[in-house]
Amino acid sequence: MKSDNRVVILVICITLICIVSFLGLKTHGEVEAIVEEQFNEQQLLLTRQSAARIESFLNEKIVLIEVLAADLSDVSPENMTSRFIQVYHRSSGFSSIGFVNRTGVIVAGYPIEYSAIGLDLKATNRSGSFERAKVSGKTYTTNPVLLVQGGVGSTIGVPVYAGDEFKGVIFAIIEISTISERFLADVMPVGHGYAYMTTKSGRSLYDEAHSELIGKKYIGNFCTNNSSYANILRMQRQGNEGTGYYFDETSGERWIAAYTPVVWHDRLWSVATSVPASEVDLLIRSVYAKQMLFLATVIAIILVGSFGLILMFSRWNKTLEAEVKSKTSDLIKMNKELALANARLKELDNLKSEFVSMVSHELKTPLAAMKTSAQVMGMADASEETREEMQDIIIRNIDRQTNLVNDLLDLSRIESGRLRLNCENVALDAVIADSIETVKQAAVEKDITLDVELPVGLPSVKGDREKLIRVVINITNNAIKFTPRGGKISIKARELNGQVEVRVSDTGIGIAAEELAKVFEKFYQVDNTLAREAGGTGLGLAICKGIIDAHKGQIWVQSELGKGSTFGFRLN
Amino acid sequence: MKLDNNDREIVELLQKDATLSAIAARLNLPESEVETRISRLSDTRTKILIVDDELDTLLALKRALELEDFYVIEAQDGIEALEKVKAEIPDLVLLDLMLPRLNGFEVCQQLKQVEATSSIPIIMLTAKSECSDKVEGIEIGADDYVTKPFDIEELKARIKAVLRRTTP
């Protein structure tokens, strides 16, 4: 039962752990995919955000220059510079602002050192965009080109009209480095990937990790045309938004790229982030770590729970066992008590049948004597002397029978607690004197001296006079029976600790130590012959004890074999 | 009646008309002893030993049997009974069961074990009437069993029957 419970709990525990582990592993795979997806999404959002900011920045600059162009339609080039200074300082992000007159010569600009004033565009063969704006009358933008002052920049050109008269073009240069510093440099945390930006043709505008590539095409300088990175670049050049993986030969790592197009005026650029795939693994690992922690906690809870259950069960079992044990021992105890009670009952039964057999023997014996005697008396040839002898036998046995019956009745009353005492103040010296009167004859016949010693002023006791006389007679008669001819019996009374003690000592045969305890038992006789000779019923001392007990007194015997016995009792 | 050597010599001397004192001197026995032996030898009645510790029962029974002309000797306990049987060689023993020192069964057993006394018939007398007692008494060799109080006529009849059965 006990081990069964444990096995069941262990099986449940193992099953639970298996289920949890299985679910954990399954989630593992899902988590990997989700984390990857989320990570890519996050990178994409970063690029989107950067792209949007760059777009709005550039568009804002276009609008600004357009407004400026409208304002400056009727302002002479000499006066333009002050306005340029205003705009340059109010709106950050311009590298330089200038004016090209209708002949294609830069006539005004700020800051002067970056403005190349006096440069003839036509003469230096840089007038493509200028000519197109002059013809179309529309704002234009240029691809990023190497600037005179260094770096790469794009030019915004807005034609200026005074009425319908073309006056020239207001141009502003925006350095790409300004954009990248503002919007790209801080996109990626250091050490966790980098951001870059390309033009439609695949030229690098900005690359956080490879600054040497800026202004160059990636394909050919960074990767081959059929590399996985080239595919990403292709998607970027087509103006797509998305994420993708590529393999970097130099680092030997897998990278994740996320890209978003930047569309402003008629330019198509692309902002991208590039992150090693191991970053995702890091994230996944941290998720895994948390998952493992969760798994471990759940398993621990399951184990602790199961262990607790087992502990509880075993405690239960123990308490049950203890209870069963105590109950069993109770039962055993009860059985023992029952067995004892049974043995005692049997003993009592034996005692009873012994008693009945004793009584029947004691009753039948005088009857046998009487019957035979009566029959002898009836015989014709019986002499007168014999008849008298027989008559004596009959009378003696009738007396004996009567005594026996009386003793039996008394004993029955004593044993059933029906002994009635007629209590009064009794003077024990008078009781002794009366008793002596009764037994004197028997003593004289055996030539036994009765020595009576009674102190003067013996206090009286509460008791039944008749019954106490009977006790003294019984004890004294016993003494006479067991004392040989010419012996001596002394009867003494004294006061002792508020009690009155009566002692009857004889010079008789005495009682063996092992027999002493039995003398107050009914039908106990030290020596059958002597007892029979003396005509005792074997009930006398039992009755004496009963009477003294009923008076709440004590009766006792002292004896030494061959030297005599002393019987005594004390009464309150 | 069985005789010992002294008895035989007394018989022989009496046949030679020896006097009482002469016989006593010859056999180195007190005169009273010789007198008892002579009176016993001259008594031809059937001799019955009654063993009972109840004197009244013993006396009444003795008188009853004496009136029937039996010669009655008595013993009051088991040991005395064994001694009396050896000394007197009775023709029959009436044996009470409840005896001091040696009970009736033991006395019966011992008498039946000894060659000289094994042929003496024994009738058990007791106030106990349980069947097992009777069976035990018969088994150890008692010839009959009478429970107290008994009818004297019945007892006499049983004594005569046992004597008839055992005397050759």
Side-chain angles (χ1 to χ4, degrees):
Chain A
M1 180 71 194
K2 191 165 76 179
S3 58
D4 276 5
N5 272 339
R6 284 192 185 165
V7 167
V8 167
I9 290 166
L10 274 177
V11 165
I12 290 173
C13 168
I14 288 166
T15 313
L16 280 174
I17 289 173
C18 284
I19 290 171
V20 168
S21 304
F22 172 73
L23 288 176
L25 278 177
K26 216 183 151 198
T27 331
H28 237 56
E30 285 171 14
V31 161
E32 203 172 328
I34 289 168
V35 168
E36 229 170 75
E37 198 186 308
Q38 286 298 311
F39 186 78
N40 291 355
E41 187 71 17
Q42 187 204 358
Q43 296 301 316
L44 190 60
L45 280 173
L46 279 176
T47 59
R48 256 185 215 160
Q49 193 188 18
S50 301
R53 287 170 75 188
I54 291 169
E55 271 176 17
S56 68
F57 174 80
L58 291 170
N59 287 329
E60 181 197 306
K61 299 301 169 205
I62 291 173
V63 170
L64 198 62
I65 299 302
E66 279 175 346
V67 169
L68 186 66
D71 275 2
L72 296 178
S73 58
D74 46 2
V75 175
S76 66
E78 300 84 60
N79 296 331
M80 282 182 184
T81 311
S82 62
R83 297 294 300 275
F84 291 164
I85 293 167
Q86 253 184 2
V87 173
Y88 181 89
H89 286 292
R90 288 229 181 126
S91 165
S92 61
F94 289 115
S95 170
S96 64
I97 307 171
F99 179 67
V100 183
N101 66 11
R102 61 176 170 236
T103 60
V105 178
I106 299 171
V107 288
Y110 182 86
I112 295 165
E113 64 266 34
Y114 298 145
S115 304
I117 294 169
L119 180 79
D120 190 338
L121 295 177
K122 281 184 184 166
T124 55
N125 207 17
R126 289 179 179 179
S127 59
S129 303
F130 171 77
E131 293 299 334
R132 275 196 294 280
K134 187 178 165 184
V135 173
S136 65
K138 283 181 182 166
T139 306
Y140 71 89
T141 58
T142 67
N143 264 327
V145 291
L146 284 170
L147 298 172
V148 183
Q149 64 267 31
V152 181
S154 269
T155 307
I156 303 167
V158 180
V160 179
Y161 290 90
D164 292 333
E165 186 199 352
F166 175 68
K167 288 183 75 178
V169 170
I170 299 279
F171 70 91
I173 296 168
I174 294 166
E175 264 193 81
I176 302 302
S177 60
T178 312
I179 297 172
S180 55
E181 268 163 35
R182 278 205 190 178
F183 303 115
L184 295 174
D186 301 328
V187 168
M188 300 304 288
V190 181
H192 296 280
Y194 63 97
Y196 68 94
M197 184 160 71
T198 66
T199 61
K200 194 174 187 242
S201 58
R203 251 177 232 282
S204 173
L205 287 173
Y206 172 75
D207 194 310
E208 210 179 335
H210 315 91
S211 49
E212 74 278 0
L213 288 174
I214 292 172
K216 295 176 185 166
K217 285 197 171 185
Y218 279 99
I219 295 171
N221 290 304
F222 184 69
C223 59
T224 57
N225 196 27
N226 49 9
S227 67
S228 49
Y229 189 44
N231 291 331
I232 304 281
L233 289 170
R234 214 163 289 133
M235 297 299 285
Q236 285 182 269
R237 287 167 64 190
Q238 284 165 14
N240 287 323
E241 182 190 83
T243 58
Y245 292 92
Y246 69 91
F247 188 76
D248 180 21
E249 279 92 359
T250 49
S251 64
E253 271 189 278
R254 223 162 67 97
W255 291 71
I256 299 167
Y259 44 89
T260 305
V262 177
V263 181
W264 64 287
H265 205 252
D266 44 5
R267 300 286 135 218
L268 172 66
W269 295 349
S270 180
V271 173
T273 59
S274 190
V275 182
S278 57
E279 285 290 309
V280 181
D281 292 343
L282 269 178
L283 268 179
I284 289 171
R285 239 174 274 147
S286 88
V287 171
Y288 279 178
K290 278 170 194 159
Q291 220 183 350
M292 291 312 283
L293 185 70
F294 174 73
L295 206 66
T297 313
V298 168
I299 289 174
I301 288 170
I302 290 172
L303 284 175
V304 167
S306 318
F307 187 70
L309 274 176
I310 290 174
L311 213 70
M312 207 172 77
F313 274 128
S314 69
R315 279 239 183 108
W316 244 5
N317 274 339
K318 266 180 202 158
T319 44
L320 273 178
E321 266 170 35
E323 210 166 305
V324 167
K325 246 185 216 167
S326 77
K327 286 273 184 294
T328 313
S329 73
D330 282 357
L331 275 178
I332 289 170
K333 217 163 125 193
M334 273 161 75
N335 277 346
K336 271 186 193 159
E337 276 165 17
L338 273 179
L340 272 177
N342 208 6
R344 231 190 111 56
L345 275 178
K346 269 186 190 158
E347 203 181 306
L348 282 175
D349 196 49
N350 283 344
L351 280 176
K352 201 196 92 185
S353 29
E354 225 171 90
F355 179 73
V356 168
S357 132
M358 281 283 212
V359 167
S360 82
H361 183 267
E362 293 300 317
L363 287 172
K364 277 178 184 173
T365 302
L367 283 178
M370 283 188 260
K371 186 166 184 179
T372 312
S373 306
Q375 283 179 328
V376 171
M377 281 175 85
M379 287 177 186
D381 46 357
S383 66
E384 191 54 36
E385 196 186 339
T386 306
R387 283 179 210 273
E388 271 171 27
E389 206 175 19
M390 293 301 108
Q391 196 177 1
D392 285 349
I393 291 177
I394 290 171
I395 289 165
R396 201 157 52 232
N397 279 282
I398 287 172
D399 289 347
R400 181 176 164 184
Q401 190 93 306
T402 311
N403 282 339
L404 180 64
V405 169
N406 283 339
D407 280 359
L408 281 172
L409 287 174
D410 282 345
L411 197 69
S412 150
R413 277 192 208 107
I414 286 166
E415 288 192 341
S416 60
R418 283 185 288 116
L419 185 71
R420 280 220 201 110
L421 299 178
N422 297 317
C423 275
E424 54 186 330
N425 279 325
V426 181
L428 274 181
D429 41 10
V431 166
I432 292 169
D434 284 1
S435 311
I436 300 292
E437 208 53 49
T438 312
V439 300
K440 205 159 62 185
Q441 187 56 37
V444 169
E445 273 170 20
K446 274 186 90 174
D447 195 18
I448 289 170
T449 320
L450 288 178
D451 179 11
V452 183
E453 251 179 64
L454 296 173
V456 182
L458 196 68
S460 58
V461 294
K462 276 260 178 234
D464 185 318
R465 188 184 151 82
E466 290 303 318
K467 299 226 162 42
L468 290 178
I469 289 177
R470 188 124 178 249
V471 171
V472 177
I473 290 175
N474 268 341
I475 292 177
T476 317
N477 258 337
N478 251 358
I480 293 169
K481 273 183 222 166
F482 296 106
T483 302
R485 293 192 78 83
K488 187 181 140 187
I489 293 172
S490 75
I491 301 156
K492 290 176 190 168
R494 59 170 173 161
E495 193 187 348
L496 188 79
N497 301 330
Q499 290 183 310
V500 179
E501 184 188 72
V502 177
R503 299 160 68 102
V504 179
S505 309
D506 60 51
T507 56
I509 55 169
I511 305 162
E514 64 268 21
E515 307 276 320
L516 272 181
K518 296 188 201 159
V519 296
F520 293 110
E521 285 174 15
K522 44 195 187 212
F523 286 123
Y524 172 78
Q525 284 171 341
V526 176
D527 186 324
N528 280 336
T529 337
L530 284 168
R532 295 276 158 75
E533 253 173 36
T537 58
L539 296 174
L541 284 176
I543 290 168
C544 286
K545 182 165 163 48
I547 291 171
I548 297 298
D549 284 350
H551 280 83
K552 298 194 168 42
Q554 300 97 47
I555 190 162
W556 43 265
V557 59
Q558 289 172 332
S559 185
E560 205 178 320
L561 209 56
K563 289 197 174 169
S565 314
T566 299
F567 280 84
F569 61 86
R570 288 189 203 111
L571 289 172
N572 294 312
Chain B
M1 197 187 328
K2 291 184 174 116
L3 305 176
D4 63 8
N5 287 337
N6 281 339
D7 290 338
R8 288 198 194 92
E9 293 215 21
I10 290 171
V11 174
E12 274 173 33
L13 289 169
L14 280 175
Q15 281 164 357
K16 291 171 190 167
D17 289 329
T19 60
L20 186 68
S21 53
I23 294 169
R26 179 76 183 268
L27 294 178
N28 201 15
L29 286 170
E31 277 184 35
S32 57
E33 164 88 28
V34 177
E35 202 177 346
T36 333
R37 279 175 185 264
I38 290 170
S39 72
R40 180 159 56 77
L41 288 168
S42 58
D43 196 341
T44 53
R45 291 178 296 173
T46 305
K47 191 195 283 182
I48 295 180
L49 171 64
I50 306 175
V51 190
D52 201 323
D53 60 330
E54 293 290 342
L55 289 174
D56 287 347
T57 314
L58 190 68
L59 184 62
L61 189 54
K62 186 180 177 181
R63 292 285 177 264
L65 295 180
E66 278 171 353
L67 285 172
E68 243 359 81
D69 211 22
F70 288 111
Y71 173 46
V72 178
I73 51 175
E74 51 195 80
Q76 284 179 35
D77 63 56
I79 304 289
E80 197 189 346
L82 288 176
E83 287 164 359
K84 279 274 164 71
V85 170
K86 272 174 205 152
E88 304 275 349
I89 317 290
D91 296 300
L92 184 126
V93 181
L94 289 177
L95 186 60
D96 186 29
L97 258 187
M98 297 263 288
L99 289 173
R101 291 164 82 184
L102 207 61
N103 72 35
F105 287 132
E106 290 162 332
V107 173
C108 180
Q109 226 163 4
Q110 291 197 17
L111 289 179
K112 290 297 176 186
Q113 273 168 8
V114 179
E115 177 69 37
T117 54
S118 64
S119 60
I120 301 172
I122 297 170
I123 297 178
M124 297 286 223
L125 293 179
T126 186
K128 290 194 174 179
S129 54
E130 276 93 22
C131 199
S132 62
D133 288 336
K134 286 186 191 175
V135 172
E136 194 183 340
I138 303 295
E139 267 181 3
I140 59 171
D143 295 82
D144 208 344
Y145 199 105
V146 178
T147 55
K148 291 182 190 174
F150 46 78
D151 187 272
I152 193 70
E153 296 306 326
E154 186 196 336
L155 181 64
K156 282 191 279 189
R158 280 177 188 268
I159 289 171
K160 279 169 189 162
V162 168
L163 283 173
R164 242 199 326 277
R165 228 173 33 229
T166 53
T167 314

